[in-house]
Amino acid sequence: MGSRQRPTIKTVAARAGVGRTTVSRVINGSELVSDEARAAVLAAIAELNYVPNSVARGLVTSRTDSVALVIPESESRLGSEPYFSAVIRGVSTGLTERRIQLQLVLVRDQAERDQLTESVAERRVDGVLLVSVHEQDPLPGLLENMGLPTVLAGRRAHGEPLSHVRADNEGGAAAAVGHLVARGRRRIATISGPLDMDVSRSRLDGWRDALRGEGVEAAETLVATADFTEAGGEAAMRSLLERDPGLDAVFAASDVMAAGALGELRRQGRRVPDDVALIGFDDSVIARHSNPPLTSVRQPVEAIGRTMAQILLAEIDDPGQPRQHVVLPTELVVRESS
């Protein structure tokens, strides 16, 4: 026989009797494959001596001069949450000095996750910026296994090995609680974000530790978990008032949730701040334009995006350099709601 062509994912799929997506999943270590299919794919890879393109080309591949900004959220959340647009602005600024194209990738379902995996495996981008990190999300681990430069906004948990940039969430929450206690508030509730996100757990820890430090009760009845949406903040506020009608302050882990809480307090005839003081987190446009204007913890979101982009460019230029873990300071901005 003459010189044989190098086998492709397609040839492996045909030999194993599975689809290309299944082969891609096996190569990428995904658990969404049956043991039977995995065995068939691994046997086909061995028989054909198949080497994935990204490995065959090595890590010194030709640059694509593009990076992906990956947001695993829906369009509605992307549109209603000022945090995302501020991160995108910051990332764009961080990339301006280099002629690098920014690809915005929304990952809303398994098909889009597979598409991203394939794009990464084929090295169609030089690096990935991942925003909105959930603890069990397989994406960061996948990117790490592939050796692709990756920087996270936030972290999956303490001890995150990948480079990441985050705000001082604990310190910001503690500043909010300290301010409320100084204003004479004693039944201080909190509306937390999803607890599979470090950002939510950190803000909750900051609330809890600060209350204990002030000698004020941090009862679990004063904690309601929501999802960073306005409707979530509204439902959480309703639940808190049912459980503890005597509460006199609320720290919400985002301005969007604080806006929902404000609407619910108004519906229940509670005056803000006279009856219940309210503080948000982000210091977004929502905080400045709510009625009354919202006291909020300012986090430097654009600076987070800009710093992520700078770290990613450095890792693309020198993949061997140490990972960076950056924490940026927060600041309490006091307005009429507290």
Side-chain angles (χ1 to χ4, degrees):
M1 276 178 76
S3 67
R4 290 170 58 197
Q5 279 192 312
R6 199 159 64 81
T8 63
I9 273 195
K10 202 173 171 181
T11 12
V12 172
R15 172 69 60 98
V18 298
R20 275 187 286 185
T21 305
T22 304
V23 176
S24 173
R25 283 179 182 164
V26 172
I27 292 166
N28 298 325
S30 164
E31 289 171 14
L32 300 161
V33 183
S34 70
D35 292 344
E36 196 178 46
R38 180 177 283 106
V41 169
L42 293 174
I45 287 173
E47 285 168 34
L48 295 165
N49 280 331
Y50 169 73
V51 182
N53 278 349
S54 52
V55 179
R57 287 203 297 266
L59 293 178
V60 199
T61 52
S62 53
R63 294 272 178 88
T64 62
D65 288 329
S66 66
V67 299
L69 175 61
V70 179
I71 304 180
E73 298 288 350
S74 64
E75 298 101 321
S76 63
R77 174 114 200 268
L78 193 65
S80 63
E81 179 65 78
Y83 171 83
F84 293 117
S85 51
V87 169
I88 294 167
R89 278 198 304 278
V91 167
S92 301
T93 308
L95 296 175
T96 45
E97 288 169 24
R98 301 265 288 268
R99 294 181 64 178
I100 286 191
Q101 187 189 15
L102 181 63
Q103 297 179 18
L104 181 60
V105 181
L106 294 187
V107 178
R108 292 157 294 196
D109 56 27
Q110 191 56 48
E112 288 180 340
R113 186 181 297 278
D114 289 342
Q115 216 172 346
L116 174 66
T117 300
E118 203 166 299
S119 178
V120 166
E122 296 290 340
R123 282 293 194 275
R124 285 181 223 144
V125 289
D126 296 333
V128 170
L129 298 160
L130 185 58
V131 179
S132 193
V133 184
H134 295 260
E135 191 172 18
Q136 299 305 324
D137 188 341
L139 273 178
L142 197 70
L143 296 166
E144 191 178 15
N145 292 341
M146 290 178 165
L148 190 77
T150 301
V151 182
L152 313 180
R155 58 187 181 178
R156 284 168 287 182
H158 289 282
E160 172 62 68
L162 290 169
S163 288
H164 58 275
V165 184
R166 62 191 174 91
D168 177 10
N169 293 303
E170 295 92 334
V177 168
H179 169 75
L180 291 167
V181 171
R183 293 281 164 102
R185 308 292 171 155
R186 286 295 174 272
R187 298 297 292 166
I188 301 170
T190 186
I191 298 174
S192 150
L195 294 180
D196 68 336
M197 298 182 78
D198 176 78
V199 60
S200 307
R201 294 192 301 270
S202 296
R203 289 174 193 175
L204 182 58
D205 289 344
W207 169 84
R208 201 174 267 130
D209 295 346
L211 282 181
R212 286 179 185 147
E214 297 278 3
V216 177
E217 189 185 10
E220 287 309 308
T221 50
L222 290 167
V223 179
T225 305
D227 57 358
F228 285 130
T229 66
E230 191 169 347
E234 198 177 295
M237 189 69 251
R238 196 156 49 244
S239 165
L240 286 168
L241 287 168
E242 278 166 21
R243 282 185 263 158
D244 202 320
L247 63 83
D248 59 7
V250 179
F251 163 59
S254 79
D255 288 346
V256 174
M257 294 195 298
L262 185 59
E264 185 59 30
L265 286 165
R266 190 171 287 134
R267 267 188 295 281
Q268 299 213 18
R270 306 292 178 104
R271 295 164 305 162
V272 174
D274 310 39
D275 303 324
V276 180
L278 180 63
I279 296 184
F281 204 115
D282 287 332
D283 192 37
S284 62
V285 65
I286 291 168
R288 296 189 288 281
H289 294 294
S290 66
N291 180 23
L294 199 59
T295 294
S296 185
V297 179
R298 175 179 295 161
Q299 61 167 340
V301 185
E302 283 198 38
I304 288 173
R306 196 167 57 247
T307 309
M308 287 171 70
Q310 288 160 351
I311 292 172
L312 186 67
L313 291 176
E315 289 196 5
I316 289 169
D317 290 341
D318 175 12
Q321 68 169 308
R323 302 273 170 73
Q324 295 188 55
H325 303 154
V326 179
V327 181
L328 297 177
T330 54
E331 175 196 352
L332 186 70
V333 180
V334 179
R335 298 191 181 89
E336 285 81 73
S337 73
S338 64

